Amino acid sequence: MSRITKNISTFTTSEVAQVFEKAQCIFKNAGLTLLSAPAQINHGRILIITPRRIGNAPQRNKIRRQLRAIFYEEKLYDLFFDCVIIVRAAALAYSFDTLKNILLNAFGKKV
């Protein structure tokens, strides 16, 4: 396993605070809000926020896994942005392809 895959979603408390200070909203709809800030290390990372009220643990874990997989498989970490994704209940109904299209369009990559 490469170093990037281990650290693709690892933040310290102070790094999270710095990301939120510099973050700008790049996409917002009923299910997701995407914030982006310049990367603090040599590759981009993803922070996924899934509140308990949106569903049970398996549902929250599934959407986290899907978003992390898209971020890694599409090499969005090469764009050198730290991405914060705030998930709301409507996102649980999104298919994997819909999530993929949202992330790729938000970051300006070809679908």
Side-chain angles (χ1 to χ4, degrees):
M1 190 179 290
S2 73
R3 184 172 163 255
I4 289 177
T5 52
K6 290 180 184 177
N7 297 328
I8 204 164
S9 61
T10 305
F11 288 85
T12 64
T13 305
S14 61
E15 288 173 337
V16 171
Q18 289 175 352
V19 167
F20 276 105
E21 284 176 11
K22 298 177 183 177
Q24 295 180 352
C25 185
I26 59 171
F27 178 82
K28 187 172 184 174
N29 72 3
L32 298 173
T33 299
L34 274 68
L35 306 174
S36 178
Q40 299 173 7
I41 58 175
N42 61 354
H43 60 83
R45 294 177 292 176
I46 185 170
L47 175 65
I48 304 167
I49 300 171
T50 52
R52 282 188 177 167
R53 68 176 175 263
I54 69 165
N56 58 24
Q59 292 172 323
R60 295 191 311 266
N61 291 337
K62 180 183 176 186
I63 197 155
R64 276 191 215 117
R65 283 192 313 269
Q66 289 176 336
L67 291 169
R68 218 177 291 123
I70 294 165
F71 193 81
Y72 179 72
E73 289 172 0
E74 298 298 324
K75 298 186 180 184
L76 296 177
Y77 55 84
D78 283 340
L79 298 176
F80 300 105
F81 283 101
D82 288 336
C83 178
V84 179
I85 301 176
I86 303 169
V87 181
R88 289 187 292 282
L92 296 177
Y94 294 166
S95 68
F96 184 81
D97 291 331
T98 303
L99 290 172
K100 186 174 183 177
N101 287 336
I102 289 171
L103 257 62
L104 293 179
N105 288 334
F107 284 104
K109 289 191 89 174
K110 298 283 184 191
V111 179

